Amino acid sequence: MKNERKPPLRLLQEEALARRLPKNHPILPKVHNSIEKRRAGYRGELNMDYHLTFLPHNRYTIVRDLHLTDQFPFQIDTLLLSPQVIFILETKNIFGELFFDKYSKQLIRTVEGNENGFTNPREQAQRQSYQFQNWLIKHNFPSIPIEHFATISYPQSIMKTNDEKLFDRVFHTEHIVNKILEFEQPYSTSVADSKMIRKIHKTLIKENTPMKINILNKWGISPHEIIKDIQCPTCLRYPMKRNHGIWFCPYCMNESKEGHIQAIKDYFLLFDSPITNKTCREFLLLSSRRTSQQILNSMNLIKKGTTKSVFYIEND
Ligand SMILES: [Zn+2]
């Protein structure tokens, strides 16, 4: 089953924000910092995907980055489905010395003598397994047993604990396959058949809805602070000029036919609204209605509304 992991929506939104804030904007260092953390998290998840390729093929249906709702929304990094057992895997890419405290249930990270508290990924994974159990029940699916693991992707991170059982379920990502092979042993009875697994998988894909937040509100940025226009994909400067259907950068002389694509994507990532001919002209600083229409029609968007009030939404 081919389903590749895509960069998280929130990361893409923050990258768009960083691209479209003035270089001297006071919030920008914090945005960059957050982007770095999210990129590290994403790398950790890709690392998990790599290790899972060593599992016996076709034994598990792997579903990545699931956003579901029980009573509240919840997210699962990686889910492994089989007729006998389900595995929920939470991955963290945290660097440093990590202490998992049995009593406070906290994860305390120490780097160069400085301590920080983190969400305990073991507790997170366990919560997700309860939520996923409820999700199965809600959809009248059989109660397949669920196991959960939390992994640390950074091989150099040193893990310590005062809970002798913790390392059964918390370990470096590279051990994931051995742990799965060990934990699947007692589950020899099929609770569902392969048809049912396909049905669960289909329902998961259908109900998977990544939450798109209003990123400007989140960072306290007003829409007028956002740089409009088209960014040169080569030198990253604004704006590009349009000449006979081709974008041209007056700084580095780069030419591009597709300069507007990232701009339209940025629009959708930053503004929680459909795009119209008018908002497109305003955002790309175009004077021509016709060019604006050509661009919107070329973007594989979903066209809605009546002739007088056409608007476009993303096709995802
Ligand atoms: Zn340029």
Side-chain angles (χ1 to χ4, degrees):
M1 189 65 58
K2 196 97 179 147
N3 97 65
E4 277 168 28
R5 195 183 293 276
K6 292 185 201 132
L9 182 57
R10 189 68 174 271
L11 169 62
L12 297 178
Q13 287 189 292
E14 288 182 355
E15 285 175 340
L17 184 63
R19 261 195 297 279
R20 292 197 172 262
L21 279 178
K23 291 229 170 339
N24 58 357
H25 197 288
I27 205 96
L28 202 51
K30 280 188 183 163
V31 177
H32 279 303
N33 198 294
S34 174
I35 289 173
E36 272 321 304
K37 282 187 194 152
R38 290 183 196 281
R39 280 185 187 154
Y42 181 52
R43 280 198 301 274
E45 289 162 14
L46 291 174
N47 181 249
M48 169 64 85
D49 292 341
Y50 166 72
H51 284 287
L52 289 176
T53 61
F54 297 106
L55 267 179
H57 291 173
N58 301 324
R59 189 176 304 180
Y60 292 95
T61 301
I62 304 176
V63 196
R64 299 170 177 91
D65 195 22
L66 264 178
H67 297 252
L68 301 171
T69 304
D70 169 27
Q71 270 165 324
F72 290 100
F74 63 105
Q75 187 263 346
I76 297 173
D77 285 347
T78 313
L79 182 91
L80 272 61
L81 273 174
S82 82
Q84 297 84 24
V85 59
I86 288 170
F87 285 100
I88 285 180
L89 316 178
E90 171 68 26
T91 311
K92 288 274 183 277
N93 206 354
I94 310 178
F95 173 76
E97 186 182 303
L98 311 177
F99 182 73
F100 294 83
D101 187 49
K102 178 180 176 177
Y103 304 104
S104 69
K105 306 281 185 198
Q106 253 199 313
L107 165 58
I108 302 152
R109 188 267 293 270
T110 310
V111 174
E112 291 168 0
N114 296 317
E115 284 191 345
N116 283 103
F118 277 80
T119 311
N120 187 325
R122 154 85 215 268
E123 302 292 314
Q124 245 181 310
Q126 190 170 38
R127 245 184 344 259
Q128 288 159 10
S129 68
Y130 300 147
Q131 285 169 303
F132 192 67
Q133 190 80 65
N134 288 337
W135 186 91
L136 286 174
I137 293 168
K138 191 171 112 188
H139 290 82
N140 297 315
F141 289 129
S143 282
I144 304 171
I146 303 175
E147 291 286 356
H148 64 273
F149 294 130
T151 75
I152 302 294
S153 295
Y154 230 108
Q156 292 91 338
S157 290
I158 297 163
M159 289 192 265
K160 294 183 176 175
T161 186
N162 49 5
D163 176 354
E164 70 276 14
K165 285 192 174 154
L166 185 106
F167 292 142
D168 283 351
R169 293 182 185 275
V170 182
F171 41 85
H172 283 122
T173 305
E174 58 188 332
H175 305 301
I176 187 66
V177 169
N178 286 337
K179 281 286 183 181
I180 289 171
L181 296 179
E182 177 193 331
F183 268 69
E184 69 178 11
Q185 287 295 332
Y187 300 102
S188 48
T189 320
S190 290
V191 185
D193 57 14
S194 53
K195 199 177 151 196
M196 181 59 79
I197 295 300
R198 279 200 298 278
K199 201 173 159 194
I200 296 174
H201 186 209
K202 231 174 115 179
T203 311
L204 284 172
I205 300 302
K206 202 177 93 198
E207 295 218 345
N208 180 23
T209 36
M211 232 206 317
K212 189 170 180 186
I213 62 150
N214 183 321
I215 196 78
L216 299 188
N217 278 355
K218 177 75 197 169
W219 285 92
I221 290 172
S222 102
H224 77 255
E225 293 177 272
I226 294 297
I227 301 173
K228 293 172 176 177
D229 225 313
I230 287 173
Q231 186 182 38
C232 169
T234 306
C235 72
L236 306 182
R237 274 179 278 200
Y238 291 92
M240 295 188 96
K241 306 267 179 220
R242 192 168 172 92
N243 195 0
H244 300 293
I246 290 174
W247 300 101
F248 169 76
C249 174
Y251 307 100
C252 75
M253 311 295 154
N254 169 48
E255 283 185 357
S256 158
K257 273 189 180 170
E258 295 172 342
H260 55 274
I261 293 178
Q262 189 61 57
I264 302 283
K265 284 184 182 165
D266 284 355
Y267 179 93
F268 282 116
L269 289 166
L270 295 175
F271 304 104
D272 199 11
S273 63
I275 194 163
T276 63
N277 189 296
K278 184 165 179 276
T279 49
C280 177
R281 266 182 287 145
E282 283 166 0
F283 193 61
L284 303 188
L285 303 182
L286 300 168
S287 51
S288 154
R289 262 192 82 82
R290 214 175 128 245
T291 309
S292 179
Q293 195 183 339
Q294 275 171 354
I295 284 175
L296 289 171
N297 285 339
S298 72
M299 286 286 298
N300 188 29
L301 302 169
I302 299 171
K303 199 171 175 178
K304 293 206 163 186
T306 56
T307 329
K308 278 197 172 166
S309 59
V310 175
F311 61 93
Y312 299 79
I313 57 169
E314 274 178 295
N315 187 1
D316 44 21

